[in-house]
Amino acid sequence: MKLIAGILLLVVSAYAVTAQTDQAISIQTQKNELVYTVDKDQKVNQVYLGERLGNNAELFNAKGMQHEMYIPFGTSDLFESAIRTTHNDGNPSIELKFVSSEAKKLDEYITETIIRMKDPQYPFEVNMHFKAYAREDVIEQWTEISHQEKLPITLAIFASSMLHFDAKSYWLTQFHADWAKEMRMEESQLTSGIKVIDSKLGTRADVYQTPFFMLALNKPADENTGEVLAGTLAWTGNFKFSFELDNNNSLRVISGINPYASEYKLAPGKIFTTPTFVFTYSNSGKETTSQNLQKWARKYALLDGDKPRMTLLNNWETTFFDFNEQKLTGMIADTKKLGVDLFLLDDGWFANKYPRNNDKSSLGDWEPNKTKLPNGVGILVKEAEKQGVKFGIWIEPEMVNPKSELYEKHPDWIIKLPNRPENYSRNQLVLDLPNPKVQDFVFGVLDNLMTENPGIAYMKWDCNRPMTSSYSPYLKDNQSAIYIEYTQAWYKILDRVRAKYPHLPIMLCSGGGGRIDYRGLSYFTEFWASDNTDPLERVFIQWGYSYYMPAIATCNHITSWGKQSIKFRTDVAMMGKMGYDIQIAHLNDKELKFSQDAVVNYKRISDVVWYGNMFRLVSPYEGNRAVAMYVNYAKSKAILFSYNLNSRFREAFNTVKLRGLDESKKYKIEEINLFPDTKSKFPFQGKTFSGDYLMKVGLSVSGSEALTSSVFEITEM
Ligand code: GLA
C-alpha cells in the first residue's frame, strides 16, 4: 500500500515538475485570482493579481507583469528581499528554483496550494503555501523554510509573503495608534522608496502601529469603488510590512515577522513556519474587503465566531483598586438589575504580602487578597449564581512587579538585561515566557482559578507593557530568538488553555487594544478595543477596527468617559459587543429604565450586529457625523446607527442611501433606544418602505444636535 502511494506521489510530482512550467499556478477564490508561472530558468513569477480571468492561459501570450514570487537575497536583485541567510560555507546568497506544485481541496470551499522551491546548489528549501477561501475571497499565505546543511543556519530575513503590483499610483491606508488612540486611519500616496510599517515592541506589539493596511491602486479607494487590497499579518508579535516603489513604478509589498533583532537559528531538518499573511482584494472598494475579512474572521479566525456573547458589567472604572466583598456583592446585584449576563471583576483582587491596591505592586501573586476578599473569589461566584448571573475575572499573567513575592522567588524568570538597571513600564516587567517553567506558571494562573472556582464563566487576559531591555535568561546565548520565541511560547500556553477550556469566553486586552491580530484572536472570543470609551472617540476607533474585525469581537463598554448622554454612550456601544462599566446606583430612574430597555433591545438585535454584513454609509473622517448599518444575510432585518459628532449649529445633513437590503422587499422602520417619555422625531417612524426606495432615495437619519444619536430597527414586513 505504502509503495503504491509512494509511486503515485512520484508520478504526481513528476507530472507537476514538467507540466507546471507551461501552465499557470492559479490561487483562486470565487471572485479573484493570483497567478504564478514558471519561467525557463525555473523561477516562479507572479504574473497576475486581481479579478478572476476568463482564461488565464492568455497570460502566457502577453509579457505583462512578471516578478519573481519570493525574491531571495544575494544574487541579481537590487531591492528588498523576502528571505536571506548565509550557508554553512559562507555563501550569503539564495536561489530558489521551482520543484513542484500541488493543490488540494481541504473542503468544498478551501483549497491549499503549495509551491515547492529549492536552491539548486544547497540543500535549502522554501515551500510557499496558500489557502484560498472561495466564499470569503480571502487568501492566507505563508512559507515553510528548511535545510539539510551540516550546521544550523541563521535566517536574517524570512517573510511570509511578497506581492507585486504594477499600477499608475498606490495609496496606502494605515492604522496608527497609541494608548487610548487606537486605529487612527490615515491614507497617503506612496512615493519612490520604501515605506515601512512595523513593530519592535515584542508584547503589546500593536500599540503604535497596527498590523493592518489597505493598498488602493491607481486612485484612493472609497467604500464602493476602486481597486483595493486589504492585508494583515496573523502574528501577535513584531511585524513588518514594507512597500517599496522602484524605478519602474512597480510596487513590492513584503509582509512578515519583523526581522529586527531577530536573526533566527534554524537547525538542519527543522522547519521554520512563518505566520500567515491574510489578504483580500476587491475592485469595488473597501466595503467588500471589510465584509470579506469580517466574514472570514468570524468563521476561521476568531474563537467561536458563530456563537453568542455575554453582555456584562465591569467594575474597573467605577472602583479601580478600591473595593471589598460587600461592594462587589452590590455590583453583582446591579448586574442582575441592569439585565446583563455577567459581572466582570477587574484588577485589584489579588496578592497579600504586597496587596494590589494600585499599579505599583503585586503582579505575579495571584491569590485572593484576604482583606478585600476574606472569603476568596468563590463567594463571589456563588453570589453571582444566587443572582442568576455569571462571574468573570481579570488576570495579567505574563507580568510581574518588582514588588511581589514572585519577583523575590524567581528573579531568573524575568526578561531583563544583566548589568543594566531594570526598565519599567507601568511599574512592571515581562516574564520570560520562552522558559517552560514560566509557561507552566502562566498557564497555572488561569488553570488554578478555574480549578478552584469552576463556576468562573469569563476571563479578561491583559498585557499592559511592551518589552524593553529584552534579554531572556532562559535563551542564554540565543538572544535574537527572544521576540519570536516569546510569541510562540504565548501560543503554546494558549493551546493548553484551549485544550482544557475550549469554549471559556476570554477577552483579549492589552492596556486597551495593543495586541489585536487574527492569530491571537483564534484563542479569544473578543477583544478590548481601547481604554478610551469616550463615545465620540469611540466612533472613530470602532470605525477603524471594522475594516478587519467583526462587531461580535469588539468589546464596547458604556462608561463615564466623555460627557455625553447615556443614550449616546449606549448607542455607540451597541455597534459591537456591548458592556457596562458605570455605577448603576448613580443612574437616575429614567437613565436606569433607558439602560434596562437598551439591554433588552440589544439582546433582540445583537444577532444582526454580530453576524450580519456591515455597511459604512457615512464616514466620521469625512464630516461631522457617522452612519453605519448591519444587515442579516437573509436581508430580513437591519440595524442602522446614526451618530452626530461635533456637528455645527443646525448643520444640515443630506439623506443617506441604505445598502444591503433586498429591493423587492418591504421594510418597516422603527427608531429604538428612545429615552423614556420621548418620541421619535423622524417622520418615517413606524412607516414601511420598499428596499428599492430605501436604497435609491434613502432616509434623513440625522438629527440636528451635536453628540446625539439614533438607532433604527429595520424589519421586513
Ligand atoms: C488595562 C486595561 C483596563 C483595566 C486595567 C487594569 O489598562 O485596558 O481595562 O483592566 O488594565 O489595571
Side-chain angles (χ1 to χ4, degrees):
M1 188 63 201
K2 248 193 186 153
L3 191 71
I4 299 175
I7 292 170
L8 253 175
L9 202 84
L10 252 174
V11 173
V12 170
S13 53
Y15 169 77
V17 179
T18 50
Q20 294 295 358
T21 49
D22 52 8
Q23 196 176 300
I25 305 168
S26 175
I27 322 300
Q28 294 179 330
T29 63
Q30 260 168 19
K31 297 213 181 92
N32 303 322
E33 71 182 316
L34 169 60
V35 186
Y36 295 99
T37 56
V38 180
D39 66 20
K40 56 176 184 0
D41 298 325
Q42 299 295 106
K43 283 196 176 164
V44 184
N45 295 310
Q46 181 190 324
V47 291
Y48 183 74
L49 169 58
E51 204 185 347
R52 251 176 98 154
L53 299 169
N55 174 13
N56 61 27
E58 287 180 308
L59 289 166
F60 288 92
N61 301 335
K63 280 263 166 284
M65 173 202 258
Q66 186 113 2
H67 300 282
E68 191 174 348
M69 173 171 72
Y70 190 71
I71 304 180
F73 170 84
T75 58
S76 56
D77 186 67
L78 293 167
F79 297 91
E80 289 283 291
S81 325
I83 183 165
R84 176 158 85 86
T85 196
T86 302
H87 298 284
N88 282 185
D89 66 358
N91 188 327
S93 70
I94 302 170
E95 270 197 296
L96 291 173
K97 302 261 170 150
F98 177 78
V99 176
S100 67
S101 80
E102 66 192 79
K104 49 182 185 221
K105 276 210 159 242
L106 304 183
D107 69 23
E108 201 183 334
Y109 304 105
I110 308 172
T111 307
E112 181 170 354
T113 304
I114 307 172
I115 302 176
R116 299 178 198 282
M117 297 172 292
K118 80 182 276 311
D119 192 302
Q121 300 302 330
Y122 293 87
F124 182 89
E125 285 166 38
V126 173
N127 293 339
M128 177 64 73
H129 291 249
F130 300 89
K131 236 190 215 183
Y133 298 80
R135 284 174 303 181
E136 295 80 14
D137 286 308
V138 167
I139 296 174
E140 273 191 283
Q141 182 180 10
W142 73 98
T143 61
E144 281 176 1
I145 304 164
S146 62
H147 71 95
Q148 301 290 348
E149 301 197 16
K150 277 218 173 70
L151 301 172
I153 59 167
T154 300
L155 295 171
I157 303 177
F158 32 81
S160 298
S161 155
M162 177 184 255
L163 291 176
H164 302 275
F165 301 87
D166 285 322
K168 193 171 90 208
S169 58
Y170 306 92
W171 300 81
L172 178 71
T173 301
Q174 66 185 102
F175 297 84
H176 52 88
D178 198 345
W179 176 76
K181 295 179 182 175
E182 286 82 352
M183 293 303 270
R184 300 207 159 182
M185 180 164 77
E186 189 171 340
E187 184 172 46
S188 48
Q189 184 172 6
L190 290 172
T191 53
S192 180
I194 309 176
K195 162 90 180 179
V196 170
I197 296 174
D198 76 343
S199 160
K200 304 181 179 78
L201 308 175
T203 48
R204 215 186 165 212
D206 355 330
V207 75
Y208 301 137
Q209 296 293 341
T210 65
F212 304 108
F213 71 84
M214 285 184 278
L215 178 71
L217 307 179
N218 304 312
K219 65 178 184 80
D222 57 27
E223 285 295 320
N224 302 115
T225 64
E227 280 187 70
V228 59
L229 177 130
T232 178
L233 192 75
W235 178 248
T236 322
N238 294 351
F239 58 84
K240 179 175 176 182
F241 304 111
S242 72
F243 304 84
E244 186 170 25
L245 191 52
D246 70 14
N247 52 318
N248 294 319
N249 206 47
S250 291
L251 182 74
R252 157 182 315 195
V253 180
I254 305 175
S255 308
I257 293 178
N258 196 347
Y260 165 81
S262 291
E263 297 78 18
Y264 193 84
K265 235 179 254 162
L266 184 64
K270 287 263 181 320
I271 297 174
F272 182 77
T273 306
T274 69
T276 74
F277 174 62
V278 182
F279 66 99
T280 183
Y281 163 89
S282 148
N283 59 8
S284 57
K286 297 170 179 172
E287 180 182 280
T288 304
T289 57
S290 65
Q291 286 180 355
N292 291 349
L293 290 172
Q294 286 193 13
K295 237 184 268 177
W296 180 85
R298 272 197 305 266
K299 204 159 166 51
Y300 302 107
L302 184 66
L303 182 74
D304 288 337
D306 57 349
K307 306 247 163 54
R309 301 294 192 260
M310 284 185 278
T311 51
L312 59 81
L313 175 66
N314 188 195
N315 71 313
W316 174 241
E317 297 210 359
T318 52
T319 65
F320 292 104
F321 299 94
D322 180 21
F323 55 79
N324 55 28
E325 190 181 300
Q326 197 197 354
K327 232 189 215 178
L328 298 179
T329 307
M331 296 194 81
I332 292 173
D334 285 342
T335 307
K336 175 77 182 167
K337 192 171 176 186
L338 185 59
V340 291
D341 303 311
L342 170 119
F343 174 69
L344 170 61
L345 172 58
D346 216 285
D347 194 355
W349 58 269
F350 51 92
N352 285 296
K353 182 171 177 188
Y354 307 106
R356 180 77 168 170
N357 291 327
N358 51 50
D359 65 11
K360 294 195 170 59
S361 71
S362 328
L363 291 172
D365 302 348
W366 297 101
E367 67 290 330
N369 176 272
K370 292 199 175 93
T371 313
K372 291 184 201 175
L373 301 176
N375 301 299
V377 168
I379 189 104
L380 300 171
V381 181
K382 279 209 194 84
E383 186 57 34
E385 265 162 29
K386 231 192 315 174
Q387 295 281 353
V389 294
K390 305 267 191 222
F391 179 84
I393 195 162
W394 177 97
I395 52 174
E396 193 183 357
E398 297 157 74
M399 301 287 162
V400 61
N401 286 112
K403 208 167 156 193
S404 72
E405 288 183 83
L406 181 68
Y407 181 94
E408 289 166 356
K409 267 192 231 142
H410 291 293
D412 53 323
W413 281 11
I414 299 170
I415 289 181
K416 55 176 178 169
L417 288 164
N419 309 320
R420 305 252 181 241
E422 290 175 357
N423 179 255
Y424 307 123
S425 169
R426 209 193 189 204
N427 315 302
Q428 64 198 56
L429 294 162
V430 183
L431 290 176
D432 188 10
L433 251 55
N435 183 341
K437 285 196 191 128
V438 175
Q439 292 170 25
D440 290 344
F441 172 82
V442 173
F443 170 73
V445 174
L446 184 142
D447 189 40
N448 295 341
L449 268 169
M450 290 305 293
T451 312
E452 282 159 27
N453 311 283
I456 291 178
Y458 186 92
M459 293 253 176
K460 174 175 176 184
W461 183 305
D462 215 332
C463 167
N464 276 312
R465 66 154 296 170
M467 227 190 262
T468 53
S469 301
S470 305
Y471 180 94
S472 153
Y474 178 77
L475 289 172
K476 297 199 180 81
D477 61 355
N478 189 21
Q479 291 303 321
S480 67
I482 188 168
Y483 293 116
I484 293 175
E485 295 230 351
Y486 187 96
T487 307
Q488 286 171 340
W490 191 61
Y491 294 150
K492 262 193 216 161
I493 296 166
L494 291 165
D495 281 333
R496 282 169 77 181
V497 168
R498 284 312 174 193
K500 193 155 175 193
Y501 309 101
H503 300 290
L504 176 72
I506 312 182
M507 180 204 287
L508 174 56
C509 178
S510 187
R515 201 185 214 186
I516 316 296
D517 74 281
Y518 286 144
R519 174 71 199 274
L521 274 176
S522 67
Y523 297 102
F524 293 85
T525 47
E526 53 222 71
F527 68 90
W528 184 225
S530 174
D531 278 348
N532 190 340
T533 48
D534 176 324
L536 172 61
E537 295 295 328
R538 203 63 183 206
V539 166
F540 289 87
I541 292 169
Q542 294 170 194
W543 203 264
Y545 282 117
S546 79
Y547 288 93
Y548 306 87
M549 293 298 166
I552 192 171
T554 314
C555 295
N556 302 334
H557 293 179
I558 295 140
T559 74
S560 309
W561 274 59
K563 301 194 171 39
Q564 301 90 344
S565 70
I566 186 92
K567 171 168 167 57
F568 187 72
R569 285 180 271 159
T570 306
D571 288 356
V572 172
M574 269 202 186
M575 218 179 94
K577 213 222 88 172
M578 184 169 84
Y580 288 83
D581 196 345
I582 46 170
Q583 209 48 275
I584 301 303
H586 294 175
L587 297 175
N588 66 34
D589 289 350
K590 281 191 183 171
E591 287 171 337
L592 178 63
K593 171 83 172 62
F594 167 80
S595 304
Q596 289 165 329
D597 291 347
V599 172
V600 173
N601 286 340
Y602 184 70
K603 293 195 169 178
R604 187 180 65 251
I605 65 163
S606 52
D607 59 337
V608 182
V609 176
W610 291 346
Y611 314 120
N613 252 332
M614 186 200 186
F615 297 84
R616 286 175 299 263
L617 305 179
V618 182
S619 168
Y621 283 90
E622 283 160 17
N624 287 324
R625 65 168 172 168
V627 184
M629 70 188 283
Y630 297 83
V631 185
N632 69 359
Y633 289 143
K635 299 187 177 184
S636 60
K637 186 133 197 157
I639 311 296
L640 186 144
F641 297 91
S642 171
Y643 309 111
N644 275 22
L645 307 177
N646 287 321
S647 39
R648 307 292 303 272
F649 175 69
R650 287 194 172 170
E651 183 168 350
F653 293 113
N654 59 320
T655 54
V656 176
K657 290 177 186 161
L658 276 52
R659 290 185 59 77
L661 301 172
D662 181 333
E663 54 186 24
S664 63
K665 284 182 175 168
K666 292 251 183 283
Y667 297 93
K668 183 171 174 187
I669 316 283
E670 263 172 307
E671 186 181 2
I672 59 166
N673 274 12
L674 287 162
F675 205 69
D677 303 333
T678 56
K679 285 211 171 89
S680 175
K681 291 190 194 119
F682 294 94
F684 47 80
Q685 168 72 340
K687 296 202 172 130
T688 298
F689 300 86
S690 65
D692 182 62
Y693 177 89
L694 293 170
M695 293 192 291
K696 285 183 184 152
V697 181
L699 296 174
S700 203
V701 294
S702 303
S704 56
E705 267 174 68
L707 301 171
T708 57
S709 53
S710 318
V711 181
F712 302 94
E713 190 171 348
I714 300 167
T715 314
E716 180 187 352
M717 292 317 288

